[in-house]
Amino acid sequence: MARKAKQLSALEVGRLKTPGLWAVGGVAGLYLHISDSAARSWILRATVGDKRRDMGLGGYPDVTLAGAHEKAREARAKIDSGLDPILVRKQAQSELIAQQATEVTFSKAYALYIDAQGDAWKNAKHRQQWANTLETYAAPVIGNMLVRDVTHTHILSILEPIWKIKTETATRVRGRIESVLDWATVRGHRKGENPARWKGHLEHMLAAPGKIAKVEHHPALPLDAMHGFMQDLRTRNGMAARALEFAILTAARSGEIRGMPWSEVDFDTGVWTIPAGRMKMAKEHRVPLSEAAIRMLRGHTRLEGCDLVFPAPRGGKLSDMTITAVTRRMGYKDKEGKVCVPHGFRSTFRDWAAERTNYPKDMADMALAHAVGDKVDAAYRRGDMLEKRRKMMQAWAEFCDLPAASGSVTAINRKAA
């Protein structure tokens, strides 16, 4: 055991200025080290096992003489019990670092999740929707919490205020929280069951979305008003009016029309091919063009230096609201008295196919670029009924052009069906 030196008082220790090691007594091996730069710190010199150790106990005067005595006694007690204080300290630091690495807040977790998954999502808008919904609804409640501490009580605090009044949004928020917490579990940031899971958990605490959600349909023009609307639309000038007319003739979505370049149109075959990257279902979609649609494109003026078929006046894409403004100005309403919107004409087309024709439902769904059948059916279906759909789209264009008696049915060739 190290020999105990004369015990110095706090005043005497304070007067030490010369660089070197100064034994201060009180605990064997306790020294005040003074560097050449006059920095002062406490050192305990002791033999641990078969090794001599110099253990730092902190700087002076932040650690007082009394504090240095206490730390030195604690270190010697560990040595006497067979422990190496330096190794114990390193182990504690390592455990602390490891613990800190797992302590991720929910806000940090969803940011990391979005970064990890974002490249697999179809567009930047979807990524932004994820961030916006979690920031708006989840972050105020659990954003600053460690993900390991999130429980079903917190999840309910997020969902219950919006579950009945914003059901669709609430279900998306729940699903997104579940995904983030699943990611956090796999990455080792939390343990146990996911408190945001629906099956076998939240389904017993919240009403089923399908029983409380109000389905909001896009206001759609009644079939018998279609002819008058098209006549009126064709008297209106502007790129947005022409884009809407073409959207109606093709039963396409507004975004597909607004981003449509001339290069996607094959006039020889009368087919508009939309690549997978521009489709909601991320699958290439071929649109057979009716005579009216081809005639419209052939007579359409191309904007010099722009490949878009329906560009904005100053180039670039038309905005969705620009096309919506056309229907608002026209003022046509659905059966409930709501002003029709561009997307509603897809519903009008679907109603026409179901109520005024004998065309199969699958064919109409293909025209709308909807999923057809279940996964098994999709696995075996290779064609897209292009030529059969061409006849259907021609019949639709003719229906839009000519007054049709209510209840009349467009016959189709049985072989073509």
Side-chain angles (χ1 to χ4, degrees):
M1 174 180 285
R3 188 179 61 185
K4 287 187 181 181
K6 174 188 172 184
Q7 186 169 341
L8 302 182
S9 67
L11 182 61
E12 290 172 319
V13 169
R15 290 173 178 168
L16 294 174
K17 304 294 182 183
T18 307
L21 277 177
W22 295 90
V24 297
V27 178
L30 180 60
Y31 294 87
L32 179 68
H33 176 254
I34 303 176
S35 69
D36 292 339
S37 63
R40 294 181 286 182
S41 60
W42 298 106
I43 289 177
L44 177 66
R45 179 168 288 179
T47 300
V48 182
D50 59 355
K51 294 182 179 180
R52 182 174 174 175
R53 295 284 200 184
D54 282 356
M55 292 167 272
L57 301 180
Y60 175 87
D62 290 338
V63 176
T64 64
L65 176 61
H69 283 150
E70 183 179 355
K71 286 189 173 187
R73 292 188 184 99
E74 290 176 354
R76 287 210 167 273
K78 289 177 181 178
I79 294 171
D80 291 344
S81 64
L83 298 175
D84 184 335
I86 294 178
L87 292 180
V88 171
R89 183 188 300 172
K90 288 181 178 179
Q91 182 178 355
Q93 289 176 334
S94 177
E95 291 175 354
L96 176 61
I97 292 171
Q99 178 65 28
Q100 288 174 334
T102 66
E103 291 181 347
V104 173
T105 65
F106 182 81
S107 288
K108 180 66 174 179
Y110 80 67
L112 292 172
Y113 177 84
I114 291 174
D115 283 343
Q117 302 295 324
D119 291 340
W121 293 336
K122 291 179 291 185
N123 52 53
K125 182 179 179 181
H126 184 64
R127 183 189 185 106
Q128 192 61 46
Q129 287 173 338
W130 259 77
N132 288 346
T133 53
L134 291 175
E135 182 66 26
T136 300
Y137 298 104
V141 179
I142 60 174
N144 293 327
M145 289 183 59
L146 299 177
V147 285
R148 62 178 169 81
D149 295 330
V150 176
T151 68
H152 74 270
T153 301
H154 303 114
I155 303 302
L156 289 175
S157 296
I158 296 167
L159 298 179
E160 285 180 330
I162 60 173
W163 193 253
K164 293 182 180 179
I165 58 175
K166 297 180 179 180
T167 306
E168 184 176 356
T169 298
T171 56
R172 289 177 180 174
V173 171
R174 184 209 62 77
R176 289 167 183 174
I177 294 174
E178 181 180 16
S179 295
V180 172
L181 294 182
D182 277 344
W183 172 89
T185 299
V186 173
R187 294 299 297 265
H189 300 307
R190 62 172 286 118
K191 296 179 181 179
E193 294 282 1
N194 192 322
R197 69 191 185 282
W198 178 255
K199 193 69 175 177
H201 188 58
L202 290 181
E203 66 174 340
H204 301 304
M205 304 179 194
L206 298 168
K211 294 182 179 180
I212 59 174
K214 294 181 179 179
V215 179
E216 295 290 340
H217 296 289
H218 294 281
L221 191 71
L223 286 172
D224 292 332
M226 203 57 230
H227 171 67
F229 179 89
M230 288 297 281
Q231 284 188 316
D232 189 356
L233 178 61
R234 284 168 176 158
T235 67
R236 303 195 176 241
N237 297 322
M239 196 64 72
R242 300 290 70 78
L244 177 59
E245 181 183 351
F246 191 76
I248 292 171
L249 291 173
T250 56
R253 297 179 178 90
S254 171
E256 295 157 9
I257 298 294
R258 292 183 293 108
M260 173 187 180
W262 286 102
S263 56
E264 291 179 359
V265 181
D266 187 335
F267 284 101
D268 293 333
T269 60
V271 176
W272 168 30
T273 303
I274 312 173
R278 293 211 310 111
M279 292 299 299
K280 182 178 181 180
M281 300 295 289
K283 181 179 179 182
E284 181 184 273
H285 180 54
R286 296 196 298 170
V287 181
L289 301 175
S290 63
E291 293 174 5
I294 293 175
R295 186 167 57 249
M296 178 186 170
L297 290 179
R298 289 192 182 279
H300 190 59
T301 303
R302 298 194 184 197
L303 183 65
E304 186 176 353
C306 181
D307 191 39
L308 292 176
V309 179
F310 303 104
R314 297 182 181 178
K317 280 186 181 182
L318 280 171
S319 71
D320 194 32
M321 287 305 299
T322 302
I323 299 178
T324 300
V326 175
T327 58
R328 287 180 178 175
R329 286 194 297 269
M330 294 177 71
Y332 285 75
K333 299 179 180 179
D334 67 2
K335 294 178 181 179
E336 297 179 357
K338 298 179 180 178
V339 175
C340 298
V341 296
H343 197 82
F345 289 99
R346 285 167 55 84
S347 296
T348 303
F349 168 81
R350 189 66 188 81
D351 290 343
W352 166 79
E355 299 176 15
R356 305 290 176 90
T357 81
N358 293 323
Y359 287 108
K361 179 181 181 298
D362 282 3
M363 193 181 298
D365 285 339
M366 279 192 173
L368 294 167
H370 286 168
V372 177
D374 57 20
K375 292 183 179 179
V376 174
D377 184 43
Y380 285 95
R381 188 186 294 275
R382 293 292 183 267
D384 61 0
M385 301 184 184
L386 181 69
E387 293 309 316
K388 293 181 179 181
R389 286 194 289 118
R390 187 185 300 278
K391 294 180 180 180
M392 179 173 65
M393 300 314 293
Q394 180 62 32
W396 166 243
E398 292 172 359
F399 173 81
C400 292
D401 282 344
L402 300 173
S406 179
S408 63
V409 175
T410 300
I412 62 174
N413 186 313
R414 184 175 299 277
K415 292 182 180 180

